[in-house]
Amino acid sequence: MIIQIEAESDIPIYTQLTNQIIEGIARGEIAPGDSLPSVRAFAADLGVNMHTVNKSYHELEKKGIISIVPKSGAIISPTERISEEKKQQIITDLKPVIAEALVLGVNKKEVQEFVNTILGEMKER
Amino acid sequence: MSFLIFFIVTLFIAVIQTFIPYLVKRTIVFGVSIPEQYIEDHMIKKYRKHYSLSVAFLSIIILGSYIVWVLGNERVDNQIALTGVIIEFALMLISLSFYLYYHGKTKLLKQQNKWVENLKAMQVTDLSVRKQDEMLPWYVYLLPILSTVGLMIYTIMNYDILPDLIPTHWGPGGEADAFTDKTPISAIQLTLVLLIMQLMFLGIHTATKKSGIKLSATSLQASRNRQLSLRKYSSWLLFIVLLAITMLMSYFQLMMIHPEIGEGTVKMLIPFGFLLLVLVGTLIFSIKVGRSDKELETRVEARIMDLDEDQYWRGGMFYFNRNDPSIFVEKRFGVGWTINFANPLGYIIIFLPLILIFLISFL
C-alpha cells in the first residue's frame, strides 16, 4: 500500500499517516493480521521523525485498529462487534462535516452521492 | 608492474568521474534536487555534457602525459608509484572542482526558474517495499568470520614453526617487505585485523539494511527500481569484496606459516587479481545501479514534487538530517552510499573499527 504525505499541509503528518492507514484497511489493501513496518523502518522509508510514526501508531492503537505487540511490531486487529456507544460516537463525528456541507450549499442528494462514492472505494470487512 | 596497476586504477577513476552525471539518481543534478518535470531541461543537459567533456578531456591529457613520462625515460618503481598517486589525486580534485562549479550553476538555475514554486511537496513510501528488498541475509557473513577464527586457531597451533620475523606489510607484487619480532600477538595480528574488518563490513551491511528505502512521489516505479538495485547489488559487492580481502589476507597468513605455498607466479597474480576483481565489480555495480532508474518513461501529471531535501545536503555532498533515523543514504553525486552525519551510530560503525585496526597495527 502506498502512503503519501503532504509535507506542508495544515493537517499534522501523524494524522495524515493515521488516516491513510485506516483508509488502506477500509479499501482492503491491508488486512487484519498484516503487520505494519517497524517504527524505525517506516520513519526511515518515509523520511519523517520516528516520534511522528510512533504517535500515529499509538493513535491507531487507542482507536483499537492495531495492536502493538512487543518484538513483533504493530499488527492490524481483527474486526470486533461494534458497540452502540461507538456507533453514537461516529454519528457525532459525522454530524459537523455533513452540517458544514449543507451550510456551504451542497444539497442532501449530493451529500448522499458523496458518501456513496467514498463507500464505493471501500469494502465491508 | 606498478605502472600497469597505477594506469588501470587512474583510468578507472577517470572513466567513473566522467560518467557520474549520467549514473546518479534521475532527479539529482550536480547534488541539487530538480523536480521530475524539469529534468529534461536543455540547460541541465548542457551542464551534464560540459562536465563530462571537460573531465574526459583533462583525463586523456593527464593519462597521456603519464604514459609519455614513464616510457620516455628509465623510471624507478618508487617514482612511478608516487607520480601515480599524485595524478590520481589530481584527477579527483579536477572533477571535484568541476562538480562544485556546476553545483553552483544548477542551484542558481533552479532558483531563477522558480522550479519549486507552485509544486506541492510530497513524501511517499510503500508498505510492501521492505518485502521486495533483496539484500543478502546477514548470516552469509558467518562464513568468512568462521574461516578467520579457524585460521587464528591454526596459527596458534603452529606457533613453533612460524619464522622469527613476522611480516607486517606486503609490496604490490605480494612480497613481504616489513617485519616485526615473533610474539603470540604479532603472530595472529593479521587475522585479528581481518576479523575486525569482517565485523565492520557486517555492521555496514546491517546499518544499510535498516536505512530508509526512499521512494519518489513523482517516479514511484523508477525510484523503487533504483533503491532496490542499489541495496541488492551493494550488498553483493560488499560481500564479494570482503571475500576477496579474506582470501588475500588468509593467503598472506598461510604463506607465513608455510612459505613453500607462496612460490611461483601465484604470488604476483593474487594481489593483481584482487585489484582487478574490485575494480570490475565496482564498474558493473555502478552501471547496473546507474541505469536502473533511467529506462522507464515517467510522466508527471499532478503539480507535485518530492520534498526538497537540499537543506540537509552541505555542498550537495554531506548529509546532516537529525530527523532521519537512516544511518546511510544514497549518495547524491556518485553511485553508492554516504553516511548521515547527524546520526552518531554511523560514526561508531565506520570509525571504531578503523581506530581498533590502527591500534593493533601500531601497538
Side-chain angles (χ1 to χ4, degrees), chain B residues 265-281:
Chain B
T265 44
V266 192
K267 200 191 268 178
M268 294 282 281
L269 284 176
I270 285 184
F272 195 65
F274 172 78
L275 178 73
L276 220 58
L277 180 77
V278 172
L279 291 187
V280 171

Side-chain angles (χ1 to χ4, degrees), chain B residues 206-256:
Chain B
T206 312
T208 309
K209 205 164 201 167
K210 281 183 188 288
S211 294
I213 306 180
K214 302 275 165 67
L215 300 183
S216 154
T218 48
S219 51
L220 202 60
Q221 196 51 43
S223 61
R224 185 200 309 257
N225 282 355
R226 182 171 182 109
Q227 280 280 289
L228 293 178
S229 13
L230 173 69
R231 294 167 74 90
K232 177 170 146 189
Y233 294 121
S234 70
S235 83
W236 286 12
L237 183 64
L238 193 72
F239 187 64
I240 290 171
V241 168
L242 182 67
L243 282 187
I245 293 176
T246 305
M247 285 193 256
L248 183 71
M249 290 175 74
S250 304
Y251 170 74
F252 284 149
Q253 183 76 2
L254 282 171
M255 206 162 67
M256 173 186 78

Side-chain angles (χ1 to χ4, degrees), chain B residues 116-309:
Chain B
V116 292
E117 278 179 29
N118 305 318
L119 291 182
K120 229 191 299 175
M122 302 298 267
Q123 282 162 284
V124 71
T125 185
D126 182 347
L127 290 188
S128 57
V129 75
R130 291 253 157 204
K131 291 195 189 83
Q132 297 157 7
D133 194 16
E134 291 183 326
M135 287 182 74
L136 290 173
W138 70 272
Y139 51 78
V140 294
Y141 281 84
L142 288 179
L143 181 79
I145 289 175
L146 287 177
S147 127
T148 306
V149 173
L151 186 59
M152 229 181 240
I153 295 170
Y154 183 73
T155 308
I156 295 166
M157 280 165 54
N158 287 287
Y159 187 71
D160 290 342
I161 63 162
L162 296 184
D164 292 334
L165 286 175
I166 304 289
T168 54
H169 185 266
W170 290 263
E175 195 79 51
D177 56 9
F179 300 88
T180 184
D181 288 335
K182 174 168 148 184
T183 66
I185 297 295
S186 72
I188 58 160
Q189 181 179 314
L190 188 68
T191 48
L192 209 57
V193 168
L194 178 59
L195 191 63
I196 294 171
M197 283 177 75
Q198 289 170 335
L199 293 175
M200 174 184 174
F201 274 47
L202 178 56
I204 293 174
H205 171 86
T206 312
T208 309
K209 205 164 201 167
K210 281 183 188 288
S211 294
I213 306 180
K214 302 275 165 67
L215 300 183
S216 154
T218 48
S219 51
L220 202 60
Q221 196 51 43
S223 61
R224 185 200 309 257
N225 282 355
R226 182 171 182 109
Q227 280 280 289
L228 293 178
S229 13
L230 173 69
R231 294 167 74 90
K232 177 170 146 189
Y233 294 121
S234 70
S235 83
W236 286 12
L237 183 64
L238 193 72
F239 187 64
I240 290 171
V241 168
L242 182 67
L243 282 187
I245 293 176
T246 305
M247 285 193 256
L248 183 71
M249 290 175 74
S250 304
Y251 170 74
F252 284 149
Q253 183 76 2
L254 282 171
M255 206 162 67
M256 173 186 78
I257 308 172
H258 306 292
E260 64 277 9
I261 59 167
E263 295 309 319
T265 44
V266 192
K267 200 191 268 178
M268 294 282 281
L269 284 176
I270 285 184
F272 195 65
F274 172 78
L275 178 73
L276 220 58
L277 180 77
V278 172
L279 291 187
V280 171
T282 311
L283 199 65
I284 295 173
F285 163 76
S286 306
I287 294 168
K288 267 207 129 31
V289 176
R291 301 308 305 159
S292 63
D293 61 341
K294 309 293 189 306
E295 278 139 11
L296 276 171
E297 195 73 38
T298 15
R299 270 206 357 261
V300 191
E301 314 275 347
R303 302 285 300 157
I304 58 169
M305 63 168 190
D306 291 308
L307 184 67
D308 194 318
E309 291 195 315

Side-chain angles (χ1 to χ4, degrees), chain B residues 52-85:
Chain B
S52 292
L53 287 177
S54 316
V55 173
F57 179 68
L58 286 169
S59 302
I60 291 169
I61 290 185
I62 289 177
L63 277 168
S65 331
Y66 188 47
I67 297 176
V68 172
W69 178 81
V70 170
L71 297 183
N73 305 310
E74 281 290 302
R75 304 285 179 188
V76 282
D77 260 15
N78 259 346
Q79 275 181 314
I80 293 175
L82 186 68
T83 318
V85 171

Side-chain angles (χ1 to χ4, degrees), chain A residues 98 102 105-117:
Chain A
I98 294 172
L102 293 176
V106 184
N107 66 43
K108 284 189 176 181
K109 201 164 163 267
E110 279 175 308
V111 172
Q112 245 150 18
E113 276 165 22
F114 291 170
V115 174
N116 284 337
T117 315

